[in-house]
């Protein structure tokens, strides 16, 4: 039986917008089902991109169809145009700010919403009558991801009873923007912020959060992409009475830790003749004895052979510069593999070993990602094995590094599609790796690569540290969560709301306190 003429007419008139709207609905449902049913993670990024593109294009296509193709009367089109202008004006008047999380989902702030920046005051720094004690203790966190650069926490309680007790927030205040981390040594907690057109290095009192010294210089990294964010994104280094800080546009400073006095500065991008990365300089400096190492990368059109630079840490004088690959977003690490001390570098080309003395490349395990997004820190799992991971489409892998007859070799031991941690970082505990794979806390066996379990709820693109046998997780939504590092089962112990905004910054644990920040606020929570 044929459809009535009025039914055919209705469908013919409205089929274009209905079909167009079905695409984003289809991809939104598909992405949700893909995550929940754990289908091939390698295809999740294309699904997510298709969903994002369809959501963005759908209203544009419908507007073009309505005004240029559909045969509505002039009066109808004028009325709809007025309604669209009214809606756009209302949105402009009511919406204060739109941010995007790691999956390009919008976070909308309205004009009546209070933001921490509304209460951001000029830094008031009193006179230092007595120089600050910035000596690093055994339970401090003076480097990126802690004392050993691996997310572990020296001095942690052996059992997990403390994680079941009440968490105490000691202080919290607004601060400048950026995705930088925090380093703690003695009486100072140092970070780098974006305040207007200036990058600002600030040493806060680690006990009460008051600013003790500040150094600012004109520099502002801005990314046009909504998810990119402005400001610096590295973690300072506190080492033997000095603080070393790298800004998003390559400014490297050495300052006295107890006073903030600048000892020397340079710009590593200028020194290397390199282009800045799409999302800015993100690899934190590595300080080792009398040297400091950074990875500016190269300008591919010039191929300057200066991708990694080694400076004298006391004078800033260049000792060597070498390398012909673009930088990644991970930080250089000092490791011993196959009995040889070396730099471990995860850059645009992949994972590689670098000679400490002259920068020569020892070995390479190729690992390419879209937009060169190698961000997560590798994990040394044994005397000659390293775990690496990046985008969900890449997953993770364990490689073995060896040296035979003066020749270096790299063998892939296993590869998994179930550990793609993107720009978060994982930890190793008693033979198991715990990380946020596409936002879901996941446990895998380091020997086999087998996934043991995956949590059902998502923590988003947060960060993971480990204290004893407890995973300390800062979620993308600004919460603090504690969970057991237990391969037997997933068990979240406690959760505490801290921030309301997007939180990507790497936290620090020192002497039982968690120092946590995002691009709006900073807080200190007593863990034990």
């Amino acid at each position: 039986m044929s459809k009535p003429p009025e039914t055919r007419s209705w469908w013919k008139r409205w089929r274009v917008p209905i079909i167009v709207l079905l695409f984003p609905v289809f991809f939104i449902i598909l992405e949700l089902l893909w995550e929940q049913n754990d289908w091939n993670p390698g295809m999740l990024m294309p699904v997510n991109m298709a969903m994002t593109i369809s959501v963005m294009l759908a209203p544009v296509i419908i507007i073009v169809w309505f005004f240029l193709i559909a045969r509505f009367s002039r009066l109808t089109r004028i009325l709809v145009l007025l309604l669209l202008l009214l809606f756009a004006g209302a949105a402009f008047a009511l919406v204060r700010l739109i941010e995007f999380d790691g999956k390009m989902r919008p976070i909308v702030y309205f004009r009546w919403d209070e933001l921490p920046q509304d209460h951001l005051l000029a830094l008031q720094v009193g006179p230092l009558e007595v120089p600050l004690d910035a000596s690093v203790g055994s339970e401090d966190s003076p480097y990126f991801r802690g004392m050993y650069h691996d997310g572990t926490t020296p001095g942690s309680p052996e059992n997990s009873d403390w994680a079941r007790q009440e968490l105490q927030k000691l202080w919290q205040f607004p601060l400048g923007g950026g995705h930088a981390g925090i380093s703690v040594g003695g009486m100072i907690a140092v970070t780098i912020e974006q305040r207007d057109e200036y990058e600002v290095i600030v040493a806060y009192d680690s006990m009460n959060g008051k600013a003790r010294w500040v150094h600012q210089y004109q520099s502002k990294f801005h990314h046009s992409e909504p998810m990119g964010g402005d400001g610096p994104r590295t973690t300072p280094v506190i080492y033997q009475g000095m603080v070393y800080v790298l800004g998003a546009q390559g400014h490297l400073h050495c300052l006295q830790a107890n006073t903030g006095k600048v000892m020397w500065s340079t710009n590593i991008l200028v020194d290397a003749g390199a282009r800045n990365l799409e999302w800015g300089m993100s690899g934190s400096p590595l300080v080792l004895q009398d040297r400091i190492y950074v990875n500016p990368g190269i300008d591919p059109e010039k191929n300057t052979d200066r991708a990694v630079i080694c400076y004298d840490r006391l004078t800033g004088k260049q000792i060597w510069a070498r390398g012909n690959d673009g930088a990644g977003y991970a930080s250089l690490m000092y490791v011993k593999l196959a009995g040889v001390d070396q730099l471990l570098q995860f850059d645009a080309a992949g994972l590689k070993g670098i000679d400490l003395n002259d920068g020569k490349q020892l070995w390479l395990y190729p690992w390419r990602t879209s937009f060169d997004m190698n961000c997560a820190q590798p994990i040394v799992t044994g005397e000659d094995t390293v775990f690496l991971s990046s985008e969900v489409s890449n997953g993770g892998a364990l490689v073995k590094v060896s040296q035979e007859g003066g020749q270096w070799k790299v063998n892939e031991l296993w590869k998994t599609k179930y550990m793609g941690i993107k720009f978060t970082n994982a930890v190793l505990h008693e033979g198991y790796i715990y990380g946020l794979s596409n936002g879901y806390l996941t446990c895998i066996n380091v020997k086999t690569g087998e996934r043991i379990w995956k949590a059902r709820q998502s923590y988003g693109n947060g960060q993971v540290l480990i204290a004893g046998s407890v995973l300390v997780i800062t979620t993308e939504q600004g919460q603090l969560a504690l969970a057991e590092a237990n391969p037997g089962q997933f068990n979240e112990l406690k959760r505490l709301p801290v921030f309301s905004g997007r939180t990507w910054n790497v936290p620090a644990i020192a002497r039982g306190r968690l120092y946590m920040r995002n691009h709006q606020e900073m807080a200190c929570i007593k863990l034990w």
Side-chain angles (χ1 to χ4, degrees), residues 140-152 179-184 190 233-239 244 282-287 329-334 344 346 374-378 423-426 462-465 504-509:
D140 280 332
S141 181
Y143 316 125
F144 177 58
R145 301 192 69 230
M147 183 66 75
Y148 305 113
H149 303 270
D150 60 1
T152 60
H179 303 309
I182 306 164
S183 287
V184 184
V190 187
R233 40 258 282 149
T234 66
T235 298
V237 174
I238 305 173
Y239 187 83
Y244 301 88
S282 301
S284 300
L286 173 67
V287 177
Y329 297 88
S331 301
L332 290 167
M333 297 173 63
Y334 162 69
L344 188 63
F346 193 28
N374 288 333
C375 309
Q377 289 302 110
F423 53 86
T424 69
N425 292 283
Q463 296 292 341
V464 181
L465 302 176
W504 290 342
N505 308 56
V506 175
I509 299 176

Side-chain angles (χ1 to χ4, degrees), residues 12 82 143 150 156 158 161 244 247 253 337 409 425 440 476:
K12 185 176 180 180
L82 291 174
Y143 316 125
D150 60 1
S156 305
E158 292 184 4
D161 292 345
Y244 301 88
H253 284 82
L337 289 172
K409 294 183 179 181
N425 292 283
Y440 292 87
E476 186 173 21

Side-chain angles (χ1 to χ4, degrees), residues 384-386 398-402 409-413:
D384 55 6
T385 53
V386 184
L398 186 75
V399 298
K400 180 178 180 179
V401 180
S402 60
K409 294 183 179 181
V410 186
N411 296 316
E412 182 183 290
L413 299 181

Side-chain angles (χ1 to χ4, degrees), residues 222-487:
H222 172 73
H223 196 281
S224 57
E225 181 195 82
M227 202 183 92
D230 295 345
R233 40 258 282 149
T234 66
T235 298
V237 174
I238 305 173
Y239 187 83
Q240 293 189 4
M242 300 293 176
V243 172
Y244 301 88
V245 192
L246 178 64
Q249 298 196 92
H251 296 91
L252 177 64
H253 284 82
C254 169
L255 310 97
Q256 286 185 348
N258 56 2
T259 66
K261 178 183 177 181
V262 177
M263 305 305 294
W264 58 264
S265 65
T266 189
N267 189 300
I268 69 170
L269 291 173
V270 173
D271 292 347
R275 294 180 188 175
N276 202 354
L277 298 179
E278 179 76 12
W279 288 279
M281 290 282 97
S282 301
S284 300
L286 173 67
V287 177
L288 186 62
Q289 296 179 351
D290 61 348
R291 298 183 175 189
I292 178 170
Y293 303 87
V294 291
N295 180 206
I298 62 166
D299 183 336
E301 294 181 358
K302 298 179 180 178
N303 196 25
T304 52
D305 193 25
R306 300 177 66 81
V308 179
I309 302 180
C310 172
Y311 300 92
D312 184 295
R313 72 171 184 87
L314 294 177
T315 65
K317 180 182 178 181
Q318 290 187 41
I319 298 175
W320 55 256
R322 195 164 184 176
N324 282 309
D325 290 314
Y329 297 88
S331 301
L332 290 167
M333 297 173 63
Y334 162 69
V335 300
K336 177 175 281 191
L337 289 172
V340 177
D341 294 333
Q342 55 194 276
L343 293 178
L344 188 63
Q345 180 179 341
F346 193 28
D347 63 11
L351 186 67
K352 60 182 68 170
I354 302 294
D355 190 292
L356 288 165
N357 296 315
D358 59 10
K360 178 184 176 182
Q361 179 176 303
L362 304 176
W363 53 268
L364 168 68
Y365 175 68
W367 189 271
R368 293 284 185 176
T369 56
S370 301
F371 305 104
D372 297 332
M373 293 187 294
N374 288 333
C375 309
Q377 289 302 110
I379 300 175
V380 176
T381 63
E383 294 181 354
D384 55 6
T385 53
V386 184
F387 170 78
L388 70 158
S389 175
S390 57
E391 291 297 303
V392 177
S393 56
N394 288 60
L398 186 75
V399 298
K400 180 178 180 179
V401 180
S402 60
Q403 186 180 193
E404 298 177 10
Q407 298 296 315
W408 287 89
K409 294 183 179 181
V410 186
N411 296 316
E412 182 183 290
L413 299 181
W414 53 255
K415 197 168 186 178
T416 177
K417 59 184 180 180
Y418 294 118
M419 187 62 91
I421 56 180
K422 301 176 72 173
F423 53 86
T424 69
N425 292 283
V427 294
L428 173 68
H429 181 66
E430 296 182 349
Y432 294 89
I433 294 172
Y434 300 86
L436 300 177
S437 182
N438 195 39
Y440 292 87
L441 185 63
T442 302
C443 171
I444 63 173
N445 187 315
V446 74
K447 290 183 178 180
T448 65
E450 175 192 6
R451 186 178 65 182
I452 307 302
W453 53 253
K454 169 189 170 185
R456 296 300 297 175
Q457 72 265 38
S458 173
Y459 292 98
N461 295 287
Q463 296 292 341
V464 181
L465 302 176
I466 188 163
S469 59
V470 176
L471 300 170
V472 180
I473 306 163
T474 54
T475 76
E476 186 173 21
Q477 298 76 29
Q479 297 178 323
L480 166 63
L482 305 179
E484 290 183 343
N486 179 7

Side-chain angles (χ1 to χ4, degrees), residues 491-516:
N491 181 25
E492 183 178 298
L493 301 170
K494 191 172 288 292
R495 190 178 287 228
L496 175 72
V498 182
F499 304 139
S500 59
R502 178 185 67 192
T503 302
W504 290 342
N505 308 56
V506 175
I509 299 176
R511 288 163 282 149
R513 296 183 175 204
L514 175 73
Y515 296 84
M516 178 177 172

